[in-house]
Amino acid sequence: MTESLNFPWAVALPALLLTAVTVPALVAADLRDWRPGRYLFKQLASLGFLWLAWLLRSADSAYACWLLAGLVLCALGDLLLMFEAERSFLAGLVAFLCGHLLYIVAFLQINTTVAGMAISLLPVAILVAGSLRWLLPHLQGPMRLAVPAYILVIAAMLIAAGGTLGSPGAALVLAGAWGFALSDLAVARRQFVRRSIVNGLWGTPLYFGSQMLLAASIAFH
C-alpha cells in the first residue's frame, strides 16, 4: 500500500494509458489474425514499457540504466518473434536471453539478500524441471540447446529477483520477473507445441503487464 501511494502516478500516466489501449488492441488483432494490426500494436505496446522506464529513470541510478537496457533488448526480441522463420525466432530468443542477463545485473544493484534468493530456489526448480520435461520432446535441431539455455538464464533471473525481497519496490520486481517468465510458456507453446489463440489471450497481457511492473520498479531505485 505504501509503495502504491509513493508511486508517481502523474508522471507515469501517459505510458500507462498507451499500454492500456494497445495491449487489448494487440490481443484483438491476434484473434482476427490481422497482421498489420499485430505489427503496429505490438510495437506500440513495447513502446509503453520503454516509455514508462524512461519517464521514471534517474540519471544516477545504475538500476534504471541496466533495467532500461534490458527492456530495450526485450522490445527487440519481441520484434523478431513476430516473424515465422526459425532463424528469426532464434535471434529473438538471443535478444530476450541478453535482456534477462541485464535484468540480473539490474537486480544485483539492489541490496540483495541470500535469504530471498534461497526462498526462490524451490519454486524456480519446479518451474525449470516442469518446463524442460514439457518442452524437450518437442524441440529439434539448435532449439534442443537454445531453449534449455534460455530456461536456465530465466531461472537465474528469478533467483536474482528473489534477492530483492524486503527492498523498496520488491513486489513489483518479483511480480514482473515471475510474470515475464510464465508468459514465456505461452510463446513456447505457440512455437513448439500447439498454435492456438489461447496462447495470446493470456500470454500477451501477462507479458506486457509484467514488463510494465518491472519498468515501474525504477521509481523506487
Side-chain angles (χ1 to χ4, degrees), residues 93-110:
L93 199 68
V94 171
F96 272 113
L97 184 146
C98 293
H100 282 301
L101 290 173
L102 292 182
Y103 285 171
I104 293 172
V105 177
F107 298 156
L108 292 178
Q109 305 306 308
I110 303 174

Side-chain angles (χ1 to χ4, degrees), residues 52-76:
L52 179 62
W54 183 261
L55 290 172
L56 299 178
R57 81 197 189 288
S58 171
D60 60 351
S61 168
Y63 177 77
C65 291
W66 285 109
L67 192 70
L68 181 55
L71 289 168
V72 169
L73 283 173
C74 289
L76 173 61

Side-chain angles (χ1 to χ4, degrees), residues 1-202:
M1 179 64 73
T2 302
E3 290 180 357
S4 177
L5 293 175
N6 292 334
F7 187 77
W9 293 102
V11 174
L13 185 59
L16 295 174
L17 289 176
L18 177 62
T19 301
V21 171
T22 55
V23 171
L26 173 58
V27 173
D30 282 340
L31 286 173
R32 295 175 177 236
D33 197 22
W34 183 37
R35 289 198 175 189
R38 181 169 184 252
Y39 295 156
L40 172 63
F41 294 126
K42 178 166 277 196
Q43 297 318 298
L44 289 175
S46 294
L47 178 61
F49 60 70
L50 293 175
W51 193 9
L52 179 62
W54 183 261
L55 290 172
L56 299 178
R57 81 197 189 288
S58 171
D60 60 351
S61 168
Y63 177 77
C65 291
W66 285 109
L67 192 70
L68 181 55
L71 289 168
V72 169
L73 283 173
C74 289
L76 173 61
D78 214 27
L79 172 64
L80 292 166
L81 291 187
M82 288 194 300
F83 305 101
E84 301 296 331
E86 183 177 285
R87 183 175 297 181
S88 177
F89 181 84
L90 188 57
L93 199 68
V94 171
F96 272 113
L97 184 146
C98 293
H100 282 301
L101 290 173
L102 292 182
Y103 285 171
I104 293 172
V105 177
F107 298 156
L108 292 178
Q109 305 306 308
I110 303 174
N111 293 326
T112 55
T113 65
V114 175
M117 291 185 177
I119 292 171
S120 299
L121 288 178
L122 180 57
V124 169
I126 292 172
L127 178 65
V128 170
S131 298
L132 289 175
R133 182 175 181 181
W134 173 51
L135 287 174
L136 281 176
H138 302 281
L139 302 178
Q140 297 179 352
M143 294 300 170
R144 290 190 64 82
L145 293 177
V147 171
Y150 181 76
I151 290 173
L152 291 177
V153 171
I154 288 177
M157 186 270 293
L158 291 174
I159 292 171
T164 68
L165 190 65
S167 301
L172 295 173
V173 172
L174 289 166
W178 275 92
F180 188 6
L182 294 174
S183 73
D184 279 334
L185 297 179
V187 177
R189 186 175 187 269
R190 176 184 178 274
Q191 187 71 21
F192 303 117
V193 182
R194 183 182 179 185
R195 292 180 178 271
S196 167
I197 60 172
V198 174
N199 300 324
L201 281 175
W202 67 272

